[in-house]
Amino acid sequence: MSRRVLILAHTGREESLKAAWEACAQLHGSGLIPVMQKTELGDMVRFFGRLDHPVEVLHDHVKLPDVELVMVLGGDGTILRAAELVREVDVPLLGVNLGHVGFLAESERADLAQTVEWIASREYTVEERMTIDVQVWVRGQKIWHTWALNEAAIEKGNRERMLEVVTEVDERPLTSFGCDGVVLATPTGSTAYAFSAGGPVVWPEVEALLIVPISAHALFAKPLVVSPRSRLAVEILNRTDAQGVLWCDGRRSVDLPPGARVEVTRSATPVRLARTHQTPFSGRLVRKFELPIQGWRGPMPQAEAIHTGPVPIIRTPRPMPPLPSPRHAGHGDAPDPSPDPSTEK
């Protein structure tokens, strides 16, 4: 059975076009069939002038469910665009970073050939990343329904006017404050917008939801980590006429008038990411953020078990009996009186 790999690239950049060209050639050389979208394939043909190997066109020659894996050439923005395409068909994504941090990417540009070899030999695993379901309500009517892999970010619509919001967890109000916005994020999004807003880094395997205020004018407006079963909500208060805007993964947006309500819950449909490395998440943090680790010595070697002898028992000595009290004259024998120095000769 033929194995097909869809290549998605940011074809507006020359580096992405070159990487896509190399990926197609290497996949073909490994016995796999490269697949591209018609517009991106057209951009590549116009740039290089011709193709030395056959490339199938998505939706013309092959359907998306028939693709084994999607190789994404670009940064996190390109991976988020790919997630929109494949989320409903259960096809994993494997990112090759051509951007800056590229936290969602699995490989770097220099590892492209090695990545193709891993795909050809099926040396990759697939992990599921939590997504969130996002609804917007205005005057009791649902006006928008979408999802997000990283976050739903509520931001002020005008630079000169801050938003007045109230946050809610499990249908109970928590606190209200003025702010520049609020980020409702997944663990995957904890290293994206929520991280820039001062939120905590959450390991991907931790099931949780995050609430991170942006530049809040309040005493108790700290980042919160709540249960993945919780229902989160943020309401734009009517104290002012400040408008807001909701962005999901920085790609889809809707305006939020005063009185609008944004509700976020865990989605039943995750995004699947392919992994070729078994590097722990802490190693990914160090590599992507270039964290200083000089001086680290590592875990101490396991020493032989030390067995102690019996615990010595310290016996408390018996208390001494109290000394007899001196007896007064006329009550029995009295101690000999001390000699009077004046009677001594």
Side-chain angles (χ1 to χ4, degrees), residues 13-221:
R13 299 173 52 190
E14 181 177 339
E15 178 61 23
S16 296
L17 286 169
K18 292 180 178 179
W21 175 274
E22 294 177 19
C24 287
Q26 291 164 3
L27 287 169
H28 184 265
S30 299
L32 281 70
I33 300 175
V35 180
M36 294 189 71
Q37 292 181 311
K38 181 178 293 186
T39 56
E40 296 180 358
L41 180 60
D43 292 339
M44 193 169 67
V45 170
R46 282 190 293 273
F47 185 83
F48 290 100
R50 60 184 179 83
L51 291 177
D52 296 330
H53 36 265
V55 177
E56 293 187 347
V57 178
L58 184 66
H59 302 310
D60 287 354
H61 304 140
V62 61
K63 302 301 181 184
L64 190 56
D66 299 325
V67 171
E68 176 183 321
L69 182 139
V70 178
M71 178 182 287
V72 186
L73 307 177
D76 284 344
T78 309
I79 295 177
L80 291 172
R81 176 170 65 90
E84 294 178 348
L85 179 66
V86 305
R87 177 171 176 259
E88 298 297 335
V89 294
D90 206 30
V91 176
L93 304 174
L94 194 153
V96 178
N97 182 36
L98 304 182
H100 298 289
V101 178
F103 213 93
L104 293 172
E106 178 66 8
S107 303
E108 299 298 323
R109 174 67 174 87
D111 303 325
L112 182 59
Q114 179 64 67
T115 302
V116 171
E117 292 181 12
W118 284 326
I119 294 173
S121 58
R122 288 192 173 94
E123 294 183 40
Y124 64 86
T125 59
V126 177
E127 65 182 35
E128 292 186 345
R129 293 295 184 92
M130 179 196 305
T131 61
I132 52 177
D133 187 83
V134 185
Q135 300 181 42
V136 179
W137 298 78
V138 176
R139 292 187 291 275
Q141 299 293 321
K142 184 167 67 173
I143 66 168
W144 205 51
H145 190 183
T146 187
W147 67 280
L149 172 60
N150 274 348
E151 76 279 308
I154 300 162
E155 304 174 4
K156 62 182 183 180
N158 301 316
R159 180 170 182 173
E160 66 276 7
R161 303 289 299 277
M162 70 178 182
L163 288 176
E164 294 285 342
V165 303
V166 59
T167 57
E168 175 189 301
V169 178
D170 294 329
E171 301 181 350
R172 293 293 185 271
L174 189 61
T175 185
S176 62
F177 48 82
C179 60
D180 286 352
V182 181
V183 179
L184 307 173
T186 67
T188 300
S190 71
T191 52
Y193 198 168
F195 176 81
S196 300
V201 173
V202 180
W203 263 234
E205 60 267 26
V206 175
E207 295 189 342
L209 296 173
L210 284 73
I211 307 174
V212 183
I214 306 173
S215 302
H217 296 258
L219 181 62
F220 185 78

Side-chain angles (χ1 to χ4, degrees), residues 214-230:
I214 306 173
S215 302
H217 296 258
L219 181 62
F220 185 78
K222 301 299 182 182
L224 302 176
V225 180
V226 303
S227 166
R229 295 177 296 277
S230 291

Side-chain angles (χ1 to χ4, degrees), residues 160-339:
E160 66 276 7
R161 303 289 299 277
M162 70 178 182
L163 288 176
E164 294 285 342
V165 303
V166 59
T167 57
E168 175 189 301
V169 178
D170 294 329
E171 301 181 350
R172 293 293 185 271
L174 189 61
T175 185
S176 62
F177 48 82
C179 60
D180 286 352
V182 181
V183 179
L184 307 173
T186 67
T188 300
S190 71
T191 52
Y193 198 168
F195 176 81
S196 300
V201 173
V202 180
W203 263 234
E205 60 267 26
V206 175
E207 295 189 342
L209 296 173
L210 284 73
I211 307 174
V212 183
I214 306 173
S215 302
H217 296 258
L219 181 62
F220 185 78
K222 301 299 182 182
L224 302 176
V225 180
V226 303
S227 166
R229 295 177 296 277
S230 291
R231 177 179 294 272
L232 311 182
V234 176
E235 294 183 0
I236 310 298
L237 298 179
N238 290 309
R239 296 173 184 171
T240 67
D241 59 353
Q243 301 279 328
V245 59
L246 172 65
W247 283 94
C248 290
D249 286 342
R251 295 188 49 80
R252 305 174 298 280
S253 67
V254 65
D255 292 334
L256 300 175
R261 175 183 174 87
V262 179
E263 294 183 350
V264 167
T265 56
R266 178 178 185 171
S267 173
T269 306
V271 167
R272 306 176 75 216
L273 298 181
R275 295 298 186 202
T276 58
H277 303 87
Q278 297 302 318
T279 305
F281 184 68
S282 54
R284 185 180 297 272
L285 283 176
V286 170
R287 185 174 74 253
K288 296 294 185 179
F289 289 147
E290 299 181 354
L291 302 178
I293 56 173
Q294 292 80 7
W296 180 68
R297 295 180 179 274
M300 295 297 294
Q302 296 293 327
E304 295 183 1
I306 299 175
H307 299 283
T308 59
V311 178
I313 299 176
I314 301 175
R315 300 186 182 277
T316 304
R318 294 182 179 179
M320 296 295 293
L323 295 174
S325 303
R327 298 177 182 178
H328 297 288
H331 297 277
D333 296 334
D336 294 335
S338 299

